[in-house]
Amino acid sequence: MNPSRTRHTAAEAGIPINQDWPVMFVSDQPSAYNPLQGNTVLVVGDEQPLTNRVREALRANGYRVQYATTSSEALDLLKSELPDLVVATLLLPDMDGYDLLSRIRGNPTARYLPVLFITDQDELAQQRRPKDSGIVDYLTTPLDEDKLIHSVRAVIKRHTEHELDFQRRVEEVRSQILGLVQHEFRTPLTFVMGYAEFLQDAIDQGLPHEEIKHSVDAIVEGSRRLHHLVESFLLLANLSRESLPNDEIYPLDPGALWRECVTEVRETLDDAGIVIKLAEGPDPAIVFGVMDLLREALSRLLDNAIRYRRPGLRTIWLGVVTKPGYVGWIIRDEGMGIPASLLAQLSSPFVRLHQRQPESHGIGLGLTLVRRVAELHKGYLEIESQEGVGSTFTLWVSDQEM
């Protein structure tokens, strides 16, 4: 793909856009950093002059220091106590630093423990390898103690920020899941159990066909809702990976993916009298990605546009747009729109924006899944919306081969 090509906007693709709509990007704000005193650093290495200097410098700056001369000793120490940081020499008696790092990353308890390497291999290629191996930082010899302390402070600060932010998110999600289980799971489960028990009690009473059909339809609808919830949770868990599997990435036609999504819901569209207007840019676009994930994301955007349309409005615009470095799937509806005060909440799963609608069964997972699919494809989700007018969603992905 040519990142310098001319951008094809939504208007050029034939999709009407309200130019007064604000562009909103879903993002997360980092939590504040609170310095912690008495951080523990595990120093690993048998190079006595070097490791002695490291330990003395750390102690002089208020750090509690643990020491191991081999990788095996270090791994044994990690079983009993986790430090805030590991500082290791690259060359060790029993295994090199990369093997030690691999063992640490393979330990569920210590998987996210930051590791800083000290090495005399300062050639450019060797400096890249520690970064690519998952090491948070590295220093080269001869050792500069000021740089050492600066790096240790920076690494522990970042790690502490991430830990605090993670704890905050876990607490938020825990509270949201509790509310979700109480409402979203309990409601369809009550339908299923209630109507099933009704049929069980009335099986010998010769119920009219219409009552039996009504009860069965309610059971089926409740079961579908439960199935959709479970599948959404499983998909979100699967998307927690850090990158896409290389063997599932292929060149894809963005327009063809839109057409497939429309075909899947053709019966629903026809029953509701909804007209789909699909427009593609003048230049054919190709993206590299996982077809099933992208199709799932687009299907959820299309489902939202169908579900939350305003009465009497029956047009949905789809298109493929481009800008330097990105290809985007764009969808515009004439739905209820999203209040500006609620747009920021879209970054959190389990948030339902249309709770005033009793027939609304969404739990906010849809847009969370779409956003995560975009991130895995080196892109992002762009949202424009105006309450009472409609919304435009653009799923941007990188146009580069991954």
Side-chain angles (χ1 to χ4, degrees), residues 47-59 142-145 148:
E47 301 178 31
Q48 290 297 333
L50 176 61
T51 53
N52 285 341
R53 286 185 60 197
V54 172
R55 291 152 59 192
E56 290 172 3
L58 291 171
R59 290 195 181 103
L143 182 66
D144 184 318
E145 293 184 9
L148 168 68

Side-chain angles (χ1 to χ4, degrees), residues 71-98:
S71 296
S72 298
E73 290 179 10
L75 293 171
D76 286 339
L77 286 173
L78 293 179
K79 293 177 182 178
S80 57
E81 179 183 356
L82 281 184
D84 299 285
L85 172 67
V86 173
V87 177
T89 57
L90 186 60
L91 299 178
L92 297 165
D94 50 349
M95 64 179 77
D96 68 18
Y98 300 116

Side-chain angles (χ1 to χ4, degrees), residues 155-195:
V155 169
I156 292 179
K157 179 173 181 280
R158 289 197 303 269
H159 184 63
T160 302
E161 289 176 341
H162 293 160
E163 286 290 318
L164 292 173
D165 190 54
F166 177 76
Q167 292 172 13
R168 177 182 61 81
R169 290 172 183 272
V170 167
E171 181 59 28
E172 289 179 354
V173 171
R174 186 188 70 84
S175 299
Q176 292 164 349
I177 288 178
L178 287 176
L180 169 68
V181 171
Q182 291 177 4
H183 177 73
E184 297 293 348
F185 276 97
R186 181 177 291 173
T187 300
L189 187 58
T190 299
F191 283 174
V192 171
M193 293 177 62
Y195 281 103

Side-chain angles (χ1 to χ4, degrees), residues 8-260:
H8 302 303
T9 64
E12 291 170 342
I15 300 174
I17 297 294
N18 187 328
Q19 297 299 326
D20 295 329
W21 288 356
V23 176
M24 302 294 295
F25 296 97
V26 179
S27 62
D28 298 319
Q29 297 296 324
S31 57
Y33 168 66
N34 295 319
L36 300 178
Q37 300 297 325
N39 296 114
T40 300
V41 179
L42 171 59
V43 179
V44 187
D46 69 339
E47 301 178 31
Q48 290 297 333
L50 176 61
T51 53
N52 285 341
R53 286 185 60 197
V54 172
R55 291 152 59 192
E56 290 172 3
L58 291 171
R59 290 195 181 103
N61 283 271
Y63 292 96
R64 176 173 172 261
V65 178
Q66 295 178 323
Y67 182 54
T69 58
T70 66
S71 296
S72 298
E73 290 179 10
L75 293 171
D76 286 339
L77 286 173
L78 293 179
K79 293 177 182 178
S80 57
E81 179 183 356
L82 281 184
D84 299 285
L85 172 67
V86 173
V87 177
T89 57
L90 186 60
L91 299 178
L92 297 165
D94 50 349
M95 64 179 77
D96 68 18
Y98 300 116
D99 292 329
L100 171 62
L101 178 66
S102 178
R103 296 282 295 274
I104 292 175
R105 294 291 177 257
N107 180 348
T109 304
R111 179 172 300 165
Y112 302 108
L113 182 64
V115 179
L116 186 155
F117 268 1
I118 300 177
T119 174
D120 60 2
Q121 301 173 10
D122 57 355
E123 295 82 11
L124 182 60
Q126 290 295 333
Q127 289 182 359
R128 284 176 179 165
R129 187 181 173 194
K131 291 286 189 181
D132 295 339
S133 302
I135 297 166
V136 296
D137 207 348
Y138 65 91
L139 296 171
T140 56
T141 55
L143 182 66
D144 184 318
E145 293 184 9
D146 289 337
K147 287 185 177 180
L148 168 68
I149 299 303
H150 175 78
S151 295
V152 168
R153 286 175 178 167
V155 169
I156 292 179
K157 179 173 181 280
R158 289 197 303 269
H159 184 63
T160 302
E161 289 176 341
H162 293 160
E163 286 290 318
L164 292 173
D165 190 54
F166 177 76
Q167 292 172 13
R168 177 182 61 81
R169 290 172 183 272
V170 167
E171 181 59 28
E172 289 179 354
V173 171
R174 186 188 70 84
S175 299
Q176 292 164 349
I177 288 178
L178 287 176
L180 169 68
V181 171
Q182 291 177 4
H183 177 73
E184 297 293 348
F185 276 97
R186 181 177 291 173
T187 300
L189 187 58
T190 299
F191 283 174
V192 171
M193 293 177 62
Y195 281 103
E197 290 173 357
F198 172 75
L199 289 177
Q200 185 180 49
D201 294 339
I203 194 169
D204 297 324
Q205 297 179 13
L207 287 177
H209 179 269
E210 290 184 0
E211 288 191 32
I212 295 177
K213 184 179 185 303
H214 176 74
S215 299
V216 172
D217 289 344
I219 292 173
V220 171
E221 174 61 20
S223 300
R224 286 174 176 170
R225 286 174 57 186
L226 285 172
H227 179 265
H228 182 72
L229 288 171
V230 172
E231 290 298 317
S232 295
F233 270 104
L234 293 176
L235 179 56
L236 186 60
N238 186 44
L239 293 178
S240 64
R241 70 182 81 176
E242 295 183 0
S243 61
L244 296 171
N246 291 331
D247 59 349
E248 296 182 21
I249 298 175
Y250 293 97
L252 305 170
D253 178 350
L257 284 179
W258 262 144
R259 291 189 289 271
E260 288 181 23

